[in-house]
Structure formats: structure tokens, C-alpha cells
Amino acid sequence: MPFIEKLLDRADVEWKALGEVCGFKNGFAFKSSRFKEEGLPIIRITNIDGRNVDLSDVKYFDPEDYTRGNPLNYSIVKGDVLIAMSGATTGKIGYYDLSETAYLNQRVGKFEPNEGILNNRFLYHFLLTKADFIYVLAGGGAQPNLSSNKLKAQLQIPIPCPNDPERSLQIQQEIVRILDTFTELTAELTAELTARQKQYAYYRERLLSFETTNDTKGTNVVWKALGDKSIGEFTRGGGLQKKDFTESGVGCIHYGQVYTHYGTYTYETKSFVSEEFAKKARMAKHGDLIIATTSENDEDLCKAVAWLGDEDIAVSSDACFYTHTLNPKYVAYYFQTEQFHKQKRPFITGAKVRRVNADNLAKIKIPVPSPEEQARIVSILDKFDTLTTSISEGLPREIELREKQYEYYRDLLLSFPNTDHERHERHEN
């Protein structure tokens, strides 16, 4: 017998339209021209991340700027469940978990469940299973736009024991308790990962920021331009495009993959080209650094991956590779530091598409300690890198497993039968 059947213990389940058990409130039409850098926080569709409310890019307002309408009537408090109503985020849900009161912008909706019938947190978990349905309901496509009236009429909510509200809420609360156990564990792991990432960044900056010609242990450190002939040279990538990929053959790295697929270093490539194509391609060797010289944002620009495989690989245009005499991982880690990015910024060109050419990269300076010191620094940073970025081990893997576990039990606990026939059929099986 399915778990949900045991929990219900033969109780009825009635599917009700959202509007029957839950009110709904749309946001206020705040004017972007009146956004402030401080004041009362505004929750926009970009703040709804599909699970929570992200305030990393929040805007503010001053109530005195509005003489028509009252934006203070559109407040949200801790525990409110929100939904994005238009654009690319349509259908995404956000749970507001902060103690500070905030205010809804237009095209963000707030659910107002009837507390005597529907548990707010139960509604939240259930809505997470309906993102695809809601997106289609909004029209899908490039410019979806969700109608609150259509949402209230067509989204169906399962209500266990509809004739016994007390027991119904007990069942809902038990489901919430189980699912919240998983979300709390994921939140704890994510918080730990964030702390480790900050720790990683701190030690990376400390280990790779040599302020004098000698470090604290007296090790000689020389600052050299990356293009100094004594340590390395840059080679621009060739005409490799995605259409040139093959199922197998000679390994290759396309510039876009550097910041979407690879980490600090790799021993194998995601893609391949034919041996015939490789004969005319520009090839990187073991130890070379593959660098994306084109990006849509400055942060990803010049992201680099050290190639540690044994075979030569093809490199695309809009990328270059750096052949050098240094520890490959040491150079790759240095490309992640603020010291490197500070030197990179003056060389960035372009508006929508941002670029740094190989000639300017060659002018950036790098601290060059002894090979032994480079290896020591790499061994320390490798431990942090594995813990914070590895998908097969470390915290990201643990978080991924907990997410899958949550989704499994969420689907199991919220798979209520939608007809009496289906419920009895499941019971018999």
C-alpha cells in the first residue's frame, strides 16, 4: 500500500480549485524610476528563485513618493508564499523566510490560504510540483503571462478529509513535517557550502597574494608578466565550432564550455572532433591553460581550466591557451583571484560581448615562487576545490542527493488520488 494511503487511512480526498480554499493578491505597480538604494524592500519577479525569495538584488522605495494608491497595502511577512506571474520566471515559487516586512511589486502574487482548511506550508510544497503546469497555464513561450483568475480557477489543490478540518490539517502538517526535514537538511548543507566557499576564497587570496619579493618563510618570489618568454606564451584558438563536434575522436574544448562545464582543471574533454579536423586545428598540450577570452559578463571573462590529460586537444576561437613552465594548477588558481581580475579589468573591451585579447593577457603579472612552493599552495587549494566544487564528492554531491531525496518524498506524499475510483484501485493493488 502506498505511503499516502497509509497516512490517509481510507479518508477521502477532495480536489478543490485554488480559489475555493485560498485567496490571492497581486503586487503594486512600483515605478522603476523611483527605486531607491535604501528604504522599504520591494520583491520583484527576479527575486523569486523557484524555492525561496532571493534578496541579493533587492530594490527599495519611499512611501512618500506615491500619492496614488498605497504600496503599504501590499506587504508580505515571514511565511508568505509568492509566485512570479510573468517573464522567464513565470510559475516559480518563493517562500519568504525573513523577519523584515517587504512589499510586492506588480506581476508578483501572494497566496492567502484559508487557515481553517489549508496549511500554508503544505500549499508551498504542493505548488513546487506544479511549476510546469503553471507555466503552460500562463501560455508558455517566450513571454508567458499568468492570470490570477485563471490560476484560481484551474489549479486544483488536494484537501484530505474535507469534512473533518481538524484531521485534514493534522494530515497536512505531518506531510509538512516530513518534507521540511529534508529542506532543513539541504539548507544546512548549503549554508555550510557557502561558508566553505568563502573560506576557500579567503585562503586562495592569502596564498596567492605575495606583497613583497619574499613570503613569510623567506621563499623568493618574482613577479613576471604572463607573456614573459622565460615562463610562457599565449596561442589563440582556431576555428572550432559546435557543428564540428563528433561522438568520439580527438578531444576538444569550446570556449563556452570553459565557464559552463569545467572547473579549475580537467583530465578529459566533454566534446570531440574528428582526426581529420584535428590536423588543421590549434592544439593545446598537457599542462596548458585553456582560457575563455569572450563572455557576456566580466566575471566569467578569462575563466580558465588547466588541461591535465595526456593527449593534445583542439581549442576553439574566442579562447586561447597558455603554454608555460609553471605548475598548471597554480596558474589556474591564480586566474581565480581578485589580484588577477584587478589586472584584467583595464583590458576588457566591447559592450554586449566582453573580450580580452591574448596580447593584453600577456601583460598581466603573476607571482612566481619556487616549484616546491607552487606545489604546496596547490595541495592546499585542491582540498578546498574538491570539497566545494566536485560533483562526485564533497558538499555539492551531498546537496544534490538531499535534493533528489526531497523531491522523491514530495512526489510520494503529494500524489493524492484524484478520483474515488483511482484511490480504491490503488488500495486494491
Side-chain angles (χ1 to χ4, degrees):
M1 179 185 296
F3 181 85
I4 190 62
E5 293 286 353
K6 294 179 181 179
L7 183 62
L8 292 173
D9 191 22
R10 303 177 185 273
D12 291 330
V13 174
E14 184 175 353
W15 289 75
K16 293 179 177 289
L18 174 68
E20 294 183 60
V21 295
C22 185
F24 192 86
K25 191 167 191 174
N26 286 299
F28 180 78
F30 289 100
K31 295 184 181 297
S32 58
S33 60
R34 297 178 182 174
F35 286 168
K36 310 286 187 182
E37 292 304 315
E38 56 182 26
L40 300 177
I42 302 170
I43 303 302
R44 300 173 293 156
I45 57 174
T46 53
N47 298 122
I48 311 300
D49 72 1
R51 182 69 69 82
N52 296 302
V53 177
D54 178 12
L55 296 183
S56 59
D57 182 31
V58 68
K59 299 298 181 182
Y60 301 87
F61 77 100
D62 183 344
E64 295 185 1
D65 288 341
Y66 296 89
T67 57
R68 299 181 61 182
N70 186 358
L72 298 180
N73 290 335
Y74 298 82
S75 63
I76 60 170
V77 296
K78 184 173 183 176
D80 280 340
V81 180
L82 313 179
I83 184 171
M85 303 287 284
S86 66
T89 59
T90 297
K92 286 191 174 181
I93 302 300
Y95 187 83
Y96 191 69
D97 199 29
L98 301 177
S99 57
E100 180 182 13
T101 300
Y103 300 84
L104 293 182
N105 195 20
Q106 58 186 343
R107 309 313 303 149
V108 180
K110 177 178 77 170
F111 296 94
E112 298 179 325
N114 183 330
E115 295 180 356
I117 300 175
L118 181 61
N119 180 297
N120 187 57
R121 189 74 177 168
F122 175 85
L123 171 66
Y124 164 75
H125 287 296
F126 180 77
L127 288 170
L128 293 179
T129 71
K130 293 298 179 181
D132 292 340
F133 171 83
I134 295 172
Y135 187 80
V136 172
L137 190 65
Q143 295 296 327
N145 192 34
L146 183 61
S147 161
S148 58
N149 288 333
K150 185 180 289 187
L151 180 67
K152 289 188 291 184
Q154 297 192 32
L155 180 64
Q156 300 287 307
I157 305 293
I159 303 297
C161 304
N163 298 320
D164 188 347
E166 183 177 355
R167 187 183 174 201
S168 176
L169 291 172
Q170 288 175 348
I171 293 172
Q172 293 178 49
Q173 181 57 44
E174 176 60 14
I175 292 173
V176 167
R177 184 192 67 78
I178 296 170
L179 295 180
D180 278 354
T181 299
F182 293 111
T183 58
E184 288 168 7
L185 178 58
T186 301
E188 290 173 1
L189 290 170
T190 302
E192 183 178 354
L193 176 59
T194 300
R196 293 294 179 88
Q197 287 172 332
K198 289 181 179 179
Q199 187 181 35
Y200 174 25
Y202 171 79
Y203 280 106
R204 187 176 60 218
E205 297 298 326
R206 281 289 302 273
L207 289 167
L208 294 169
S209 295
F210 298 89
E211 297 180 358
T212 66
T213 56
N214 291 280
D215 68 9
T216 56
K217 294 183 178 181
T219 302
N220 187 46
V221 177
V222 179
W223 284 82
K224 291 188 176 184
L226 287 167
D228 188 307
K229 292 183 180 180
S230 67
I231 60 169
E233 63 178 349
F234 291 88
T235 304
R236 294 177 178 84
L240 169 64
Q241 300 179 38
K242 290 181 179 179
K243 65 181 180 62
D244 300 314
F245 291 170
T246 57
E247 290 296 319
S248 59
V250 179
C252 68
I253 292 182
H254 186 268
Y255 84 95
Q257 296 172 338
V258 174
Y259 47 78
T260 60
H261 178 74
Y262 294 105
T264 304
Y265 54 89
T266 186
Y267 292 88
E268 56 187 27
T269 63
K270 177 183 180 182
S271 304
F272 304 89
V273 294
S274 67
E275 292 187 6
E276 188 66 25
F277 183 92
K279 291 178 182 179
K280 58 182 181 181
R282 294 184 177 178
M283 307 290 284
K285 303 180 182 298
H286 172 89
D288 287 354
L289 209 67
I290 317 302
I291 305 155
T293 54
T294 300
S295 177
E296 293 182 357
N297 63 76
D298 292 359
E299 182 180 358
D300 285 337
L301 189 60
C302 295
K303 186 177 184 302
V305 53
W307 169 242
L308 301 181
D310 295 328
E311 306 296 329
D312 293 355
I313 59 171
V315 178
S316 77
S317 54
D318 287 324
C320 66
F321 53 93
Y322 180 55
T323 305
H324 55 89
T325 60
L326 306 175
N327 185 306
K329 289 185 180 180
Y330 175 83
V331 186
Y333 283 126
Y334 181 72
F335 269 59
Q336 298 171 8
T337 64
E338 177 56 27
Q339 186 82 253
F340 170 82
H341 290 294
K342 184 178 180 180
Q343 296 184 72
K344 170 193 77 176
R345 292 182 189 114
F347 298 128
I348 297 175
T349 61
K352 184 176 181 180
V353 177
R354 309 289 275 169
R355 302 178 186 276
V356 172
N357 64 45
D359 291 339
N360 283 329
L361 273 176
K363 300 174 184 177
I364 293 176
K365 292 186 176 181
I366 184 172
V368 184
S370 67
E372 294 76 18
E373 180 65 8
Q374 292 177 44
R376 185 187 74 85
I377 291 171
V378 165
S379 68
I380 295 171
L381 294 179
D382 273 354
K383 293 181 175 65
F384 283 109
D385 187 73
T386 298
L387 184 65
T388 57
T389 65
S390 175
I391 196 63
S392 60
E393 53 185 312
L395 287 170
R397 175 60 173 169
E398 186 70 17
I399 291 171
E400 181 186 43
L401 291 173
R402 297 290 78 78
E403 279 288 324
K404 289 182 177 179
Q405 195 175 31
Y406 163 75
E407 291 172 3
Y408 171 80
Y409 281 102
R410 184 189 65 197
D411 293 343
L412 182 69
L413 289 166
L414 296 174
S415 60
F416 293 99
N418 55 22
T419 65
D420 285 341
H421 172 74
E422 182 181 357
R423 180 171 62 83
H424 290 306
E425 183 178 53
R426 290 183 181 180
H427 176 66
E428 290 172 2
N429 292 335

